[in-house]
């Protein structure tokens, strides 16, 4: 399943797919984009285990889009993990009136999207894109699709190619920049559906939990094909719906009631089925589960069951993990910003690296060849300071959206008369 969306296309792209530089149609991933305080069991504060999982998922997203390694989709199914974390937080929030919870989620999500959309749209218009003349948008009526940059009920439109290969940015930069927005659409629909899903889960838990896997077996295998954006949305819901409901099960304590040996054994069988199915349906990128919806759904479901079944309740990161506390706090407080901007920033590393070829000592063929081979590694080194710049430039919008005082670098450290660490908020 791919999500390299092209306006007007009827394909059902893969949910991790936004093509990374130099790698055609790579797969795109994600996190609970608007985390809020999570109480550890029996005590105040955040559940740092869940925070750690979210941070690992974000890093894996960035690394995946840089290197395009298919095995990363097996090693750590970030999308499934992040949807599960989001489902758990949503279930906790729904102890309050549902309409207010949904409104609050939208308030936290949309302002960062508006800032990102404004920058990307200005860049696309300045590069010559005219939505009125884009045949994929279907004329003036298609311009209404730009509304998805305000509220992502569907996939926001963008040109598949813009500019030229010799331009400052590679010609597919718009596709890569806007491609990750599929996740916001999926997240939005899960949030809207959550009151009904939670109601069903509390009455028929196992049927609600397994229904998305059954739906994936129908719409994710070609047995039933739903064209266009509707098909993409249904496929996303099916593939990751089980993980979202597993978040409900974690919050409600249902998973803890299942004997560990039984939960792990069942999860292993489901994961084994996912790998077996993948082995007979390998896509162009081999064992990239993002090309294989049913395998992705089964593998992600099983991994999430195990991660949540063994979930400790950490108020603080233990042992050697404590050294990563500030980065974990920062990434959780700026998850939306990191997710929205990382792919565009990957593209921005290219013209920066190109400047190295102009250095005097780069005139020899050997030096040029060495730089060519180190290109992706240099992108890996550059992307993190660029993400830091994006956090400083745009991250404070997340605070405004959450009705907090804006902060430039919320890594949990308060500077004042006494320097002390605090949990992220």
């Amino acid at each position: 399943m791919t999500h390299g969306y092209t306006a007007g296309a009827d394909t059902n792209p893969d949910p991790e797919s936004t093509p990374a530089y130099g790698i055609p149609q790579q797969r795109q991933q994600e996190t609970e984009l608007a985390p809020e305080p999570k109480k550890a069991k029996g005590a105040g504060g955040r559940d740092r285990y869940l925070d750690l999982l979210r941070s690992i998922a974000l890093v894996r997203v960035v690394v995946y889009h840089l290197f395009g390694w298919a095995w990363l989709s097996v090693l750590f199914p970030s999308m499934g993990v992040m949807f599960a974390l989001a489902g758990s937080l949503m279930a906790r929030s729904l102890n309050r009136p549902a309409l207010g919870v949904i409104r609050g989620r939208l308030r936290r999500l949309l302002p960062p999207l508006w800032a990102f959309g404004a920058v990307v749209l200005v860049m696309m218009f300045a590069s010559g894109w005219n939505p009125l003349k884009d045949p994929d948008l279907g004329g003036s009526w298609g311009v209404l699709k730009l509304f998805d940059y305000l509220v992502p009920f569907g996939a926001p439109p963008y040109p598949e190619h813009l500019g030229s290969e010799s331009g400052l940015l590679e010609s597919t930069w718009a596709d890569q920049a806007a491609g990750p927005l599929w996740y916001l659409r999926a997240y939005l629909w899960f949030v809207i559906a959550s009151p009904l899903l939670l109601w069903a889960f509390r009455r028929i838990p196992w049927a609600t939990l397994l229904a998305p896997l059954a739906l994936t077996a129908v719409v994710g295998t070609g047995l039933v094909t739903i064209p266009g954006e509707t098909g993409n949305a249904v496929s996303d819901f099916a593939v990751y719906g089980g993980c979202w409901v597993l978040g409900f099960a974690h919050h409600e304590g249902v998973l803890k009631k299942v004997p560990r040996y039984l939960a792990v054994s069942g999860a292993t069988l489901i994961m084994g089925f996912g790998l077996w199915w993948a082995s007979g349906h390998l896509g162009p990128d081999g064992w990239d589960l993002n090309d294989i919806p049913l395998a992705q759904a089964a593998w992600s479901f099983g991994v999430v069951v195990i991660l949540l079944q063994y979930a400790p309740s950490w108020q603080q990161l233990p042992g050697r993990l404590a050294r990563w506390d500030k980065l974990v706090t920062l990434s959780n407080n700026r998850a939306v910003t990191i997710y929205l901007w990382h792919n565009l920033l990957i593209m921005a590393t290219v013209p920066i690296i190109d400047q190295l070829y102009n250095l005097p000592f780069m005139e020899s063929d050997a030096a040029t060849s060495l730089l060519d081979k180190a290109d992706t590694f240099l992108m890996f080194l550059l992307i993190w300071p660029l993400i830091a710049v994006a956090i400083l430039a745009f991250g404070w919008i997340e605070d405004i959206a959450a009705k907090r005082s804006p902060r430039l670098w919320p890594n949990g450290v308060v500077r004042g008369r006494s320097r002390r660490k605090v949990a992220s908020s």
Side-chain angles (χ1 to χ4, degrees):
M1 186 170 64
T2 38
H3 276 75
Y5 287 119
T6 301
D10 287 340
T11 56
N12 185 18
D14 147 19
E16 274 192 72
S17 140
T18 47
Y21 179 76
I23 305 174
Q25 286 303 108
Q26 289 185 18
R27 314 301 175 226
Q28 177 77 35
Q29 277 167 323
E30 348 344 41
T31 59
E32 151 66 306
L33 289 185
E36 55 183 58
K38 170 73 177 176
K39 297 289 184 183
K41 295 178 181 178
R46 291 186 63 99
D47 189 327
R48 300 299 278 168
Y49 175 73
L50 300 187
D51 287 348
L52 179 63
L53 289 182
R54 185 178 295 110
S55 297
I56 293 172
L58 278 171
V59 171
R60 209 232 69 174
V61 170
V62 176
V63 172
Y64 180 89
H65 286 121
L66 275 167
F67 295 100
W69 293 326
W71 53 267
L72 283 173
S73 67
V74 178
L75 178 66
F76 192 80
S78 290
M79 293 311 302
V81 170
M82 292 184 286
F83 277 117
L85 299 180
S88 179
L89 290 176
M90 191 67 189
R92 183 177 68 87
S93 297
L94 284 173
N95 291 326
R96 306 191 302 271
L99 185 59
V101 172
I102 293 174
R103 186 167 55 244
R105 286 282 190 249
L106 289 177
R107 188 193 70 239
R108 296 166 69 92
L109 184 67
L110 295 183
L113 169 63
W114 295 339
F116 176 79
V119 172
V120 170
L121 284 173
V122 167
M123 290 176 64
M124 289 192 292
F125 294 153
S127 299
W129 182 52
N130 185 345
L132 288 171
K133 297 181 180 179
D134 191 330
D136 290 329
L137 291 184
S140 57
W141 281 106
V143 176
L144 295 177
K145 295 178 181 178
L146 291 175
F147 179 77
D148 286 317
Y149 281 101
L150 296 177
V151 182
F153 286 115
Y158 50 83
E160 188 172 0
H161 294 279
L162 190 62
S164 65
E165 294 295 338
S166 60
L168 184 63
L169 294 176
E170 197 261 344
S171 65
T172 62
W173 72 265
D175 187 14
Q176 299 183 58
L181 298 182
W182 78 268
Y183 178 80
L184 276 70
R185 183 213 57 201
Y187 176 83
L188 173 64
W189 284 112
F190 274 126
V191 165
I192 293 173
S194 281
L196 179 60
L197 285 175
L198 186 58
W199 176 87
F201 176 76
R202 286 170 173 169
R203 284 156 181 79
I204 44 174
W206 296 110
T208 307
L209 189 61
L210 298 175
L213 288 176
L215 181 60
T216 306
V218 175
V219 301
T221 62
L223 186 63
V224 172
T225 301
I226 304 174
E229 184 59 27
T230 301
N232 293 332
V234 172
S235 185
D236 292 340
F237 186 90
V239 170
Y240 296 109
C243 293
W244 186 275
V245 179
L246 277 172
F248 292 173
H250 173 68
H251 175 266
E252 300 282 296
V254 173
L255 281 181
K256 294 299 183 183
K257 295 178 182 178
V258 180
R260 180 168 289 178
Y261 76 91
L262 186 60
V264 173
S265 299
T268 302
L269 288 174
I270 293 174
M271 292 163 65
F273 167 78
L275 293 181
W276 171 80
W277 181 265
S279 68
H281 299 82
L282 298 180
D285 296 315
W287 282 87
D288 194 328
L289 299 186
N290 300 291
D291 290 328
I292 316 166
L294 184 56
Q296 175 74 290
W299 181 260
S300 298
F301 186 94
V303 170
V304 167
V305 168
I306 294 173
L307 288 175
L308 295 182
Q309 182 71 18
Y310 283 89
S313 293
W314 290 340
Q315 286 186 274
Q316 296 179 343
L317 294 177
R320 294 182 178 180
L321 291 175
R323 71 182 66 177
W324 302 100
D325 183 80
K326 294 178 185 178
L327 289 178
V328 168
T329 299
L330 178 66
S331 62
N332 274 265
N333 278 320
R334 292 296 179 256
V336 182
T337 300
I338 295 170
Y339 181 79
L340 282 174
W341 291 92
H342 81 274
N343 238 32
L344 182 59
L345 296 175
I346 289 174
M347 298 299 298
T349 64
V350 178
I352 296 174
I353 293 173
D354 285 347
Q355 298 305 310
L356 297 178
Y357 289 94
N358 298 325
L359 297 175
F361 56 83
M362 293 300 301
E363 295 177 357
S364 68
D365 292 340
T368 300
S369 176
L370 180 61
L371 185 56
D372 289 340
K373 293 178 181 178
D375 181 73
T376 306
F377 178 69
L378 291 174
M379 293 171 70
F380 175 78
L381 294 180
L382 277 173
I383 187 59
W384 307 110
L386 289 180
I387 287 175
V389 171
I391 288 173
L392 292 172
F394 302 102
W396 55 270
I397 298 174
E398 293 192 55
D399 292 326
I400 300 298
K403 295 185 176 180
R404 293 189 297 251
S405 299
R407 300 164 294 174
L408 286 179
W409 197 254
N411 64 350
V413 175
V414 174
R415 287 176 171 81
R417 293 183 179 178
S418 61
R419 180 184 177 93
R420 61 186 180 89
K421 290 184 180 180
V422 296
S424 60
S425 55

